[in-house]
Amino acid sequence: MDHLEALVVGRIATFAGDAGYGWVEAIGIAGGRVVASGRLAEVEAIAGPRTRRIHVEPGEVVFPALTDGHVHLIDTAMAADAIDLFQAATLEDALDMVVSAAARIPAPGWIQGSGWDQRRWHRWPTAADLERVAPGRRVALRSFDLHALWASAAALAGAGITAGTPDPPGGIVRRGLDGTPDGILFENATNVVMATVPPSSPDTIRRTLRSIARAFLALGVVGVHEFGTLAPDPGNASLDLYGAAAEAGEMPIRIWAGIRADALEDAIDRGLRSGAALTPIGTDRLTVGWYKLFADGTLGSKTAALLEPREGTSEHGIFTNPAAWLEERTRRAAAAGITTAIHGIGDAAVRSALDVLSPTAMSSAFMPRIEHVQLCHPDDRPRFGRHGIAASVQPIHLREDAQGARVDWGSRAESAGYTWRSLLDAGATVAFGTDAPLEPLDPWPGIAISVLRRDPTWSADHPAFGPHEAITLEGALRASAVGPWQLLRDPLGGRLVPGSHADVMVLPVMPDDDLLRGADFGRVRPRLGMVGGDVELER
Ligand SMILES: [Zn+2]
């Protein structure tokens, strides 16, 4: 063997085998992969003079880096680029955010955001405020309820809104005494400006993707299973954007890019296959992922498809697509080498998705998967393992869902809802994700909630949700690191054993239960992150 490129020495969890942390003293890295792991003397013996030694401090722990099993990447990137004015306690805080956005977003790009509430600020904000901190910039900031828009002078001028402009039907332009628009628009008047905001350019999306990749790395996440944009994506344009970014070397994280429900024919025409490199240069950081279909709606909108009606009603929710159609799409995709994922939240949708995915499961490139699995009839739990269908779950959804689930599902909520432990015990392969940007991209609060079955934001009298479904911290970390790779049928991924990708994070502390119980997860941030043996994060 050639010399090691890097030697990591410290307290290292390898996740070797099926259980336990698999602690070792050292790992050796070459060619982007772990080539040795074990006792220090054994690994040291194959190090050479040019081997980079990665120093791990006492108290620090080394883990396989995490993969987020379910994100919408472009939407996450664009949402992160917008200003979140819910965070602005004062008008000056808001203007500080505009200043940093103006520095980040090159002119003439639009500065956008939402979440302001003039009642918190004790006066209406104005275009003049924006002109003071971001002169000449086009700014459009929606209020928290989306009924008002705070626009800059350049944005008003571009929309042709002047002192002489009458209020549009159903809308109001707020004005000074002389009739000059002061920067606040209500109701239909907001559309006059928003209609002039161009869709995000490919350059803008590329810029935001670069920065969101850094944000994932900073949280210990080095890979994402991507499930398509939430907005229409004609011709799979997002795949071309990922390809261009990867070829330009701009994406330090691994992406498995999903194919939207309406884009299967295009994907087949392009010759895409699950597990194949997406770009001609064949980087292992950009791979074709799953084809995404929907069986039902959601808990929140009361459209999750249920075996028994919602409590106190005769409503069973809805199947958003008939099983026969899902089956036809799944077979067509499978014949082209593309594996299917089906969104299933209610127990009837989960049962239907199991039926649809079973026939092609064993022969598919990746494991077929059901997204969310929020309510699962106990009889169906063993079917995941038996058929080789994965459960892709986002524990953080429980933070917002707990109360609504109890109301809508009654006793089912805690006996059959969010049953990650029972799924694991029944032999299911479980992968954790966040569903960003519908939830924050930080995986740690979700890891904590899967262990504690409650969230620090809940009031003290809010009981833990189905505490018998708690999993161990080790189990939660495995579901966040190993689980997503099991769905890729890669038995070594998400571990630090010989043959594993050298995707490594160095945490400043062991993320024990006490740490997770606190409201602040700020200490669970890697100090160092490697992707394929390259140090991509160091602080
Ligand atoms: Zn999603």
Side-chain angles (χ1 to χ4, degrees):
M1 179 189 311
D2 272 358
H3 73 279
L4 292 179
E5 288 157 19
L7 171 68
V8 183
V9 180
R11 189 175 174 220
I12 302 169
T14 60
F15 287 144
D18 291 333
Y21 284 106
W23 297 109
V24 298
E25 294 173 349
I27 55 171
I29 295 168
R33 295 195 182 246
V34 175
V35 294
S37 101
R39 300 186 65 83
L40 175 58
E42 297 160 13
V43 185
E44 180 95 60
I46 56 170
R50 284 180 299 168
T51 301
R52 175 175 180 185
R53 275 148 210 277
I54 304 222
H55 192 61
V56 176
E57 305 284 342
E60 290 186 330
V61 283
V62 180
F63 275 93
L66 310 182
T67 296
D68 190 322
H70 186 125
V71 303
H72 304 275
L73 192 56
I74 287 178
D75 308 86
T76 306
M78 296 303 293
D81 201 42
I83 303 175
D84 179 7
L85 293 169
F86 283 103
Q87 314 287 340
T90 67
L91 177 57
E92 288 309 313
D93 290 348
L95 294 172
D96 285 347
M97 293 167 138
V98 173
V99 169
S100 50
R104 182 176 75 235
I105 299 168
W110 282 76
I111 298 166
Q112 295 188 72
S114 62
W116 58 269
D117 183 346
Q118 82 289 348
R119 292 168 302 184
R120 266 196 328 248
W121 299 346
H122 311 297
R123 76 162 167 93
W124 290 93
T126 65
D129 293 325
L130 293 171
E131 201 60 21
R132 183 158 55 79
V133 299
R137 296 299 302 264
R138 297 189 286 186
V139 185
L141 304 169
R142 291 175 173 280
S143 63
F144 73 101
D145 60 3
L146 307 181
H147 289 270
L149 184 75
W150 174 19
S152 66
L156 294 170
I161 299 176
T162 66
T165 312
D167 288 352
I172 297 171
V173 178
R174 207 178 126 91
R175 301 168 195 272
L177 292 173
D178 61 353
T180 311
D182 76 355
I184 297 297
L185 307 168
F186 296 104
E187 305 299 344
N188 289 349
T190 66
N191 302 334
V192 181
V193 166
M194 292 312 294
T196 68
V197 181
S200 303
S201 70
D203 282 351
T204 298
I205 297 172
R206 287 255 307 260
R207 176 179 59 74
T208 61
L209 283 172
R210 282 198 297 273
S211 63
I212 206 69
R214 309 306 310 178
F216 275 110
L217 280 172
L219 294 163
V221 177
V222 302
V224 295
H225 295 179
E226 205 286 316
F227 278 93
T229 61
L230 299 169
D233 185 19
N236 278 327
S238 60
L239 298 182
D240 299 324
L241 278 168
Y242 297 137
E247 292 200 348
E250 295 169 357
M251 293 307 290
I253 61 173
R254 303 180 191 279
I255 300 172
W256 287 269
I259 298 160
R260 285 163 47 102
D262 55 4
L264 180 61
E265 302 308 323
D266 175 78
I268 292 172
D269 290 347
R270 290 173 182 234
L272 302 186
R273 301 173 72 84
S274 295
L278 184 55
T279 69
I281 61 167
T283 167
D284 70 353
R285 303 226 177 143
L286 180 58
T287 308
V288 179
W290 284 259
Y291 174 49
K292 168 90 176 288
L293 294 171
F294 290 81
D296 70 344
T298 64
L299 169 73
S301 61
K302 308 200 185 292
T303 47
L306 303 174
L307 295 169
E308 300 296 330
R310 275 191 296 116
E311 294 297 297
T313 77
S314 57
E315 294 166 20
H316 288 76
I318 55 169
F319 285 99
T320 52
N321 289 290
W325 183 82
L326 295 176
E327 195 156 346
E328 185 275 323
R329 295 278 83 189
T330 299
R331 282 186 190 281
R332 173 126 177 79
I338 298 170
T339 309
T340 295
I342 299 181
H343 165 117
I345 287 184
D347 52 3
V350 170
R351 181 168 288 178
S352 170
L354 286 164
D355 293 341
V356 167
L357 293 173
S358 298
T360 53
M362 291 302 181
S363 57
S364 65
F366 288 161
M367 288 183 78
R369 48 195 282 172
I370 303 179
E371 302 307 305
H372 313 309
V373 196
Q374 289 176 1
L375 190 64
C376 177
H377 193 281
D379 291 352
D380 290 324
R381 290 174 193 153
R383 298 180 66 199
F384 285 85
R386 194 188 315 139
H387 299 304
I389 297 166
S392 162
V393 304
Q394 301 76 37
I396 197 59
H397 282 318
L398 185 56
R399 177 163 66 188
E400 299 296 328
D401 284 0
Q403 291 293 35
R406 286 185 178 112
V407 171
D408 281 358
W409 299 342
S411 64
R412 287 167 288 177
E414 290 178 71
S415 63
Y418 311 83
T419 51
W420 308 311
R421 178 179 183 156
S422 291
L423 284 165
L424 284 164
D425 289 349
T429 300
V430 174
F432 279 5
T434 61
D435 210 0
L438 304 178
E439 296 281 1
L441 56 103
D442 185 346
W444 294 97
I447 289 170
I449 211 168
S450 73
V451 176
L452 305 172
R453 301 296 290 188
R454 59 171 292 114
D455 187 80
T457 62
W458 293 356
S459 62
D461 59 349
H462 183 156
F465 188 98
H468 53 281
E469 288 291 343
I471 63 173
T472 62
L473 176 61
E474 177 222 322
L477 290 166
R478 280 180 173 260
S480 307
V482 180
W485 284 93
Q486 291 178 311
L487 275 51
L488 300 162
R489 300 201 194 282
D490 183 330
L492 302 177
R495 310 177 197 263
L496 295 174
V497 298
S500 298
H501 288 288
D503 294 354
V504 178
M505 62 178 175
V506 178
L507 299 178
V509 287
M510 178 69 190
D512 59 15
D513 290 7
D514 279 349
L515 187 63
L516 296 188
R517 216 175 292 274
D520 175 16
F521 294 90
R523 287 162 70 206
V524 195
R525 298 285 180 265
R527 178 178 65 75
L528 185 138
M530 298 174 96
V531 188
D534 297 331
V535 174
E536 298 281 8
L537 170 81
E538 194 161 17
R539 57 187 165 200

